Amino acid sequence: LFTGMVSGDVKKALLARANVFCLPSDAEGLSIAVLEAMASRTAVLLSVGCHFNEVEEQGAGRVCAAEPKAIAECLKEMLNNPEELSKMGWRGYEFVRSQYDWNVVVDKLCSLYQRYIERRNASEGY
């Protein structure tokens, strides 16, 4: 199903019932769409251009070349193993919770600010 742009409750519903979220991109930063898919317990298939190898490292999905044959093969392999897709979805969910949950992000940001303040105070003789 190729939906085009979706948002809000429709997006949440689609991600929640998807088997795989596929993002074949030539150049991607940290994709919020990928994080949203993983937060929805959906396995992901990304191209190398997404620069998010943690997906494979965490067992949350696959990373392949941004070529139609490679994408088709990975999708086929993934869809032929629904039990593993479910496990990938849960691993992605846990990864997002452990690294990108607001509480985690805010704690990291506060720690960064605290280190900056301490460094500045030390350099100014406080």
Side-chain angles (χ1 to χ4, degrees):
L1 176 63
F2 294 90
T3 63
M5 174 67 178
V6 292
S7 61
D9 290 340
V10 172
K11 176 175 66 174
K12 289 178 187 176
L14 287 171
L15 286 172
R17 67 178 235 222
N19 297 76
V20 177
F21 176 84
C22 181
L23 182 62
S25 176
D26 288 329
E28 203 61 48
L30 180 60
S31 172
I32 297 301
V34 173
L35 295 177
E36 289 173 332
M38 291 193 302
S40 299
R41 297 179 184 93
T42 302
V44 297
L45 171 58
L46 309 178
S47 61
V48 176
C50 289
H51 305 286
F52 199 15
N53 293 331
E54 291 90 339
V55 163
E56 274 193 338
E57 293 165 8
Q58 298 298 317
R62 301 273 310 271
V63 176
C64 69
E67 300 170 1
K69 282 186 178 186
I71 294 165
E73 187 60 35
C74 281
L75 273 174
K76 182 179 174 183
E77 289 172 13
M78 292 173 79
L79 291 170
N80 281 328
N81 193 345
E83 186 176 307
E84 183 59 23
L85 278 179
S86 179
K87 290 177 184 176
M88 286 178 173
W90 277 100
R91 289 188 289 255
Y93 172 75
E94 291 297 330
F95 175 66
V96 168
R97 281 187 55 205
S98 72
Q99 299 298 311
Y100 297 99
D101 180 83
W102 276 113
N103 293 324
V104 173
V105 172
V106 168
D107 286 347
K108 288 179 180 180
L109 185 58
C110 287
S111 177
L112 180 66
Y113 283 142
Q114 186 62 40
R115 285 195 312 266
Y116 171 77
I117 290 167
E118 289 168 1
R119 203 174 300 150
R120 193 188 97 215
N121 287 346
S123 70
E124 292 180 6
Y126 294 115

